[in-house]
Amino acid sequence: MSPNLRPAASVFIIFGFAGDLTWRKLVPALFNLYLENRLPEQFAILGVGHKHMSDQGFRKHLKQGVDQFSRRGTADKEPWDQFIDQFSFLEAELDEAKSSFELAKKLANIDKEWGTNANHIFYLALPPQMIEPVVRGLAQAGLHRDQKHARVVVEKPFGHNLETARLLNRLLGEIFLESQIFRIDHYLGKETVQNILAFRFANTLFEPIWNRHYIDHVQITVAEQVGVAHRGHYYDRAGALRDMIQNHLLQILCLVAMEAPISLDDNEVRNKKVDVLHAIRPILPEQVNQYAVRGQYGGGWIEGEHVQGYRSEPNVSPESATETFAAVKLFLDNWRWQDVPFYLRTGKRLPARISEVAIQFRPVPHQTFPPSAVLDWRPNRLLIAIQPEEGILIRFEAKYPELEMRLSPVVMQFYYREAFKIQPPQAYETLLLDMMRGDATLFMRADQAEAAWKVITPILEAWETIGPADFPNYQAGMWGPETAEILIARDGRSWIMPTFLRCQEDVAICRVVAEPES
Ligand code: BG6
């Protein structure tokens, strides 16, 4: 979010560097920053822990990660060799205090060699139970003390529930200042998610109608086609509500619903977002069934291929009661949004990977046109496509070009790839750069994380009390369980088919989009 400056000298210290995150996300993102000259001139990555491979073997493994996951594809040899030279290892037991002293010595040597006081970014890509020993070790070695340069990054999951999130905040707060703590929600680094701020607050056009007087309801869909893959160990304890709604979907909701911040100062933006979370009407235990539904995929078909059900996935209990789909209806008790429902849904093994926000406007207050003109009439709708397509679409009514008066919906579209003709950075590139710059705008503050847990706690508790649902209740390749349709149909509405799959539902729009001359 900060202006285009190269950050000051930095060392990234990755705890848990042999895991998936370093391979798939961190190293590809850092390599892209390197290619774009965005890394500091004095820069190093230090992996701490066990690496179970030779140095050579590990570097090769990291290169494969870049080739496979970087937006730029296969890495060229020369820049890769230069980049990877900045990587070194510290073989250490993470829960032994002596490791932190060794680390402190190593960091002091780097500073001496560089003649700097570099940023030390302690990146905890660790299972939750390892966070406390590592953080306490850093404190014992005094590595937290430089409040300007020492930063700690905490990956998801941030706690397992409100209580554990509070404990984690307390632990981090004992050792670091809030300004030193960077809690990651990678959705906040996505270009289109950040663009919600620009769209709303850099234009005068939309803000006057962005309220209960004009908006009927809002839908936020984050659909995934993938199953749980190799993450069964973690996911089977988490489920869709904790894994996606508590963080990614609620953060999107905050950006859609927040009041205009006075500036992009990190605390100003986060204050406005946390206000939204506080305004969410608590769901009473006896109402949970009307406001939230859960689902779990059984076997089914995705793009012509048969896929197994969730309970047959590796490291998942064959009787698992974990939800792989969740949908919730939320209300915000404030002047702007009173009585406007926000419908959120997410799930694995849905027909496509699509994330979208749909703002559905109210119908016109009075119909000027004769019935014969409005057979195909639809209220305005604004779509914010987050992925895989990135863009904004606005649906409005136009006169169909013929001798009679007849209305037809049309769509104005803006796509990033067409408008800017560049490949947007990946979320982690933005977030890693912001960490080095010390800009926390796109990271969750302690109170935000706790407020988000508060929103879903009644649902988690009610589901625990009710006990296991009758799972599996949707086939892989379907849009979740029938109860999700009922949740919204009860209000006389339906889920909006994501833009790129809408042809069947919205024939007129597809016709106009596909054949603009017709
Ligand atoms: C992660 C979740 O935070 O986000 C995963 O733990 C999920 O379960 C992933 O698959 C989705 O991220 P993206 O960027 O692919 O939409």
Side-chain angles (χ1 to χ4, degrees), residues 25 156 186-187 190 222 224 226 231 234-235 243-244 247-248 348 353 355 387:
K25 300 282 187 193
K156 259 188 67 194
H186 79 280
Y187 265 61
K190 289 186 191 266
V222 177
E224 295 191 273
V226 291
R231 294 169 73 229
Y234 151 74
Y235 195 89
D243 185 50
M244 299 292 287
N247 37 77
H248 306 327
K348 294 205 184 282
R353 175 174 184 255
S355 300
Q387 62 189 24

